[in-house]
Amino acid sequence: MSTIAVSPNIATIASEKLVIKKKPFSWVNIALGAFIQTAEVSTLGQPFEVIKTHMAAHRGDSLWTAITKTYQRGGIRGFYQGLIPWAWIEASTKGGVLLFASSEVDYYARILGASPAVSGVISGMAGGVAQAYTTMGFCTFMKTVEVTRHKSPDVNASSVKIAYDIFKKEGIVGLNRGVSAVAMRQMTNWGSRFGISRVTESLLRGDDKTRKLSNTERIISSTIGGALSCWNQPIEVIRVEMQSQAKAADRPEKLNISTAARYIYERNGWKGFYRGVTPRIGLSVYLTTCMVFGGDTLKEYVAERQKRDRMRA
């Protein structure tokens, strides 16, 4: 009986192709993304968001000053400005958009031969852009309005009324002010988070690329990915400045990415682009742990449950 020799490379490729399967559209994954993101923002996520937004808008304030002023505005509730309804709307939609879009792009990137790290970067970027242009534009804008409007004459106006007034005056474009900066931020955010997390996972596996990581190793990967993704803080500060309601005599009336960057540099120099980076690192680590580690864990759990249910049927 003759034996056909198979090249190790061909065998490896064949093995990888067996592993890479097209995931069917799943409302369960959409719901999981919404649940994880809403839980994240309702706990530590929004306080981190409020503090880093305050520091990015008021670049002369230290971290302690930002915390003190936030508390003075409304006690513990002050740290949850913009949570209802804007952060909840954003969280309940963008998590699902991220998991769905990134999973789809990751599959096609792997099919085309991309490594887990490269496909992680590409899928993360695609998911981030999808987030920005679906729900994040107006939600991020209104959250920033809530944090920065306390010096405005209309301080007592409800958040929904302010949104209505902006829409009445400027239309949908006004509610999506700064969306281009949001898209740049989200693209670089999730490209970095997924990519760096996957690279870290690969390094932790060592030579055994098929070894399943422990929960501790996966959390470490998510933490490193979240922290290092904050290299794009200048984009975040520009985004906040474009959406801020804080008043200043020399502030241009209508800002785009270029004019906002010039204004920040003229007032605060290069350091101004990194205001709020400390609370943002905390936010990013927490968010990435929830979405990468938490998302992977919950998706695996649900897949196992569904598999067992099919076997019983």
Side-chain angles (χ1 to χ4, degrees):
M1 184 174 180
S2 61
T3 303
I4 300 175
V6 180
S7 165
N9 290 336
I10 294 176
T12 301
I13 293 171
S15 175
E16 287 183 354
K17 285 187 176 180
L18 289 175
V19 173
I20 304 170
K21 295 180 180 179
K22 179 72 169 67
K23 296 179 181 178
F25 179 83
S26 173
W27 285 108
V28 173
N29 281 349
I30 300 296
L32 282 177
F35 170 76
I36 295 168
Q37 196 99 40
T38 303
E40 175 271 331
V41 76
S42 300
T43 49
L44 295 178
Q46 191 64 11
F48 278 128
E49 176 75 23
V50 168
I51 295 169
K52 62 102 170 171
T53 300
H54 178 102
M55 292 182 70
H58 306 281
R59 291 177 292 278
D61 288 355
S62 65
L63 175 60
W64 180 248
T65 302
I67 293 172
T68 302
K69 286 184 177 180
T70 300
Y71 184 79
Q72 289 172 345
R73 283 202 301 270
I76 297 299
R77 292 179 62 184
F79 293 95
Y80 289 90
Q81 286 178 297
L83 177 65
I84 303 172
W86 312 114
W88 277 3
I89 294 173
E90 179 183 308
S92 62
T93 52
K94 75 175 184 179
V97 171
L98 175 69
L99 288 185
F100 173 71
S102 62
S103 292
E104 289 294 301
V105 174
D106 181 79
Y107 166 75
Y108 288 108
R110 295 295 301 277
I111 286 295
L112 292 173
S115 68
V118 172
S119 61
V121 171
I122 295 171
S123 63
M125 291 171 67
V129 172
Q131 283 182 322
Y133 286 108
T134 50
T135 60
M136 283 194 69
F138 76 92
C139 288
T140 301
F141 173 59
M142 287 310 304
K143 286 194 302 178
T144 305
V145 168
E146 282 298 286
V147 176
T148 60
R149 74 180 175 103
H150 60 282
K151 290 184 179 181
S152 302
D154 57 356
V155 64
N156 294 318
S158 72
S159 182
V160 175
K161 183 182 183 303
I162 290 177
Y164 174 76
D165 289 343
I166 292 172
F167 178 75
K168 189 176 179 181
K169 182 179 179 182
E170 304 178 49
I172 195 68
V173 174
L175 282 178
N176 281 276
R177 190 183 308 163
V179 70
S180 55
V182 174
M184 288 180 62
R185 186 195 71 176
Q186 292 304 103
M187 180 179 70
T188 51
N189 269 357
W190 286 109
S192 299
R193 286 168 181 166
F194 276 109
I196 295 171
S197 295
R198 300 311 182 206
V199 168
T200 306
E201 289 173 359
S202 180
L203 292 174
L204 290 174
R205 285 192 180 95
D207 295 331
D208 186 0
K209 299 303 180 185
T210 60
R211 180 176 71 85
K212 187 174 181 179
L213 296 176
S214 67
N215 286 342
T216 300
E217 289 173 322
R218 291 164 70 186
I219 291 173
I220 289 171
S221 300
S222 296
T223 299
I224 292 173
L228 295 184
S229 70
C230 291
W231 63 268
N232 66 354
Q233 181 64 10
I235 300 173
E236 171 65 357
V237 175
I238 291 170
R239 190 275 302 172
V240 171
E241 189 60 51
M242 290 175 70
Q243 297 179 333
S244 175
Q245 300 297 292
K247 306 298 180 182
D250 60 341
R251 188 175 186 266
E253 188 64 29
K254 292 185 178 180
L255 293 170
N256 56 36
I257 292 176
S258 176
T259 55
R262 189 181 308 116
Y263 174 71
I264 292 166
Y265 178 75
E266 288 173 352
R267 290 199 66 183
N268 307 101
W270 290 111
K271 289 184 179 180
F273 289 103
Y274 290 90
R275 299 300 297 159
V277 71
T278 301
R280 185 163 178 243
I281 288 174
L283 172 61
S284 189
V285 167
Y286 184 57
L287 175 58
T288 308
T289 301
C290 289
M291 291 304 292
V292 179
F293 168 69
D296 288 349
T297 301
L298 278 179
K299 281 193 290 184
E300 288 175 8
Y301 172 76
V302 170
E304 277 298 317
R305 284 290 300 271
Q306 291 175 333
K307 183 179 179 181
R308 287 200 299 268
D309 290 343
R310 283 195 298 268
M311 290 176 68
R312 290 173 187 162

